[in-house]
Amino acid sequence: MSAPSLAEVRAGGQPPGLKERRNEEHWAGRLYMRSISPLFTWLFIRIGFSPNQLTYMMIACGMLGGVAVAVDGRGTAGLVWAIVGAVLIQAYLLLDCSDGEVARFRKRTSITGVFLDRIGHYMSEVTLLAGLGVRAQGAWENGGYVELGLLAALGAALIKAETDNVVVARAKSGLPADPVTGDRALRPESTGLALAREAASLLKLHRIIGAVELSLLIVAAAVVDHLTHGLTATRVLAVAVAVVAVLQTGLHFVSIVASRRLK
């Protein structure tokens, strides 16, 4: 069988509506990565990588990104390792796009692939947040900032668990994964809670605990720290992500329970 063309890979791997998926497609995917990923997907297909192999590579890049930012937070080395971490997270995002594109093109989507993808996001974000805590502490030792990083990591994992357990609860109750009312089910029945949810959505503070956004913020903090010869910017960021993670965990829980997603 002849090798597919780039146009064929793009058409098979990115069906219409892929970029518009609500709560599924990352803004960076829509902005630039989905334009780049078919080039790498074509290469991965030529080499013979399976979708799950690419997902394992995605997990490795995401977790290595977290390790990289934890290596050193001070001086020129701190800036270099922050950039290395951000590059690895971009590779993580690329592979997150390409594993699905390969699966769709080869018609090899699987439950295992979905599971690995979800676990990969858990592991990568948790590692990056924990790595930020170590970086803010300035050493691989116990300290207040290490605990803040771990607290933020726990919050990020719980937020994802809250979302995933909606599907689990519905499945155990014999209901389809998605409510028949679609996006309306996401809106809390209480008017006050609905307005609060909209306000929180507009502020988009929850994004700072996402791997892509956080990796870029770590680089920005590293630049400031490099210029000021300290760790103040990184420590402010560590506090901010811990606060946002804790608040978002509670607010997300309330939003789910008060919505129609569990009905």
Side-chain angles (χ1 to χ4, degrees), residues 83-130:
I83 293 171
V84 169
V87 170
L88 284 165
I89 294 300
Q90 289 297 311
Y92 153 86
L93 177 61
L94 169 64
L95 290 163
D96 190 29
C97 292
S98 285
D99 61 359
E101 290 172 1
V102 171
R104 284 185 289 272
F105 180 81
R106 289 182 166 174
K107 295 180 173 54
R108 290 178 60 182
T109 56
S110 67
I111 296 175
T112 301
V114 174
F115 172 79
L116 290 175
D117 186 75
R118 298 299 301 175
I119 289 295
H121 292 307
Y122 276 71
M123 296 172 69
S124 299
E125 290 191 6
V126 163
T127 306
L128 187 62
L129 286 160

Side-chain angles (χ1 to χ4, degrees), residues 5-191:
S5 66
L6 178 59
E8 290 172 332
V9 170
R10 189 184 297 274
Q14 294 186 1
L18 180 71
K19 293 183 181 181
E20 288 71 40
R21 296 179 301 174
R22 181 181 175 89
N23 298 326
E24 291 287 338
E25 191 66 20
H26 194 277
W27 63 264
R30 291 191 294 268
L31 184 62
Y32 61 88
M33 194 57 80
R34 285 295 183 186
S35 299
I36 300 170
S37 60
L39 300 170
F40 289 88
T41 300
W42 174 83
L43 178 61
F44 294 144
I45 291 172
R46 291 291 301 270
I47 294 172
F49 284 124
S50 71
N52 288 352
Q53 286 174 330
L54 294 174
T55 306
Y56 283 121
M57 291 166 60
M58 177 199 84
I59 296 171
C61 284
M63 295 186 70
L64 286 172
V67 173
V69 302
V71 170
D72 196 343
R74 300 180 187 273
T76 302
L79 178 57
V80 170
W81 281 111
I83 293 171
V84 169
V87 170
L88 284 165
I89 294 300
Q90 289 297 311
Y92 153 86
L93 177 61
L94 169 64
L95 290 163
D96 190 29
C97 292
S98 285
D99 61 359
E101 290 172 1
V102 171
R104 284 185 289 272
F105 180 81
R106 289 182 166 174
K107 295 180 173 54
R108 290 178 60 182
T109 56
S110 67
I111 296 175
T112 301
V114 174
F115 172 79
L116 290 175
D117 186 75
R118 298 299 301 175
I119 289 295
H121 292 307
Y122 276 71
M123 296 172 69
S124 299
E125 290 191 6
V126 163
T127 306
L128 187 62
L129 286 160
L132 172 61
V134 174
R135 182 183 185 86
Q137 188 65 36
W140 288 80
E141 60 185 26
N142 290 337
Y145 292 101
V146 172
E147 279 74 14
L148 282 176
L150 293 174
L151 179 63
L154 175 61
L158 286 174
I159 291 166
K160 291 185 178 298
E162 288 169 356
T163 299
D164 289 345
N165 274 286
V166 171
V167 178
V168 173
R170 292 181 63 85
K172 285 183 174 291
S173 301
L175 298 172
D178 297 316
V180 294
T181 53
D183 289 347
R184 285 186 300 166
L186 300 175
R187 185 180 177 86
E189 295 181 290
S190 165
T191 302

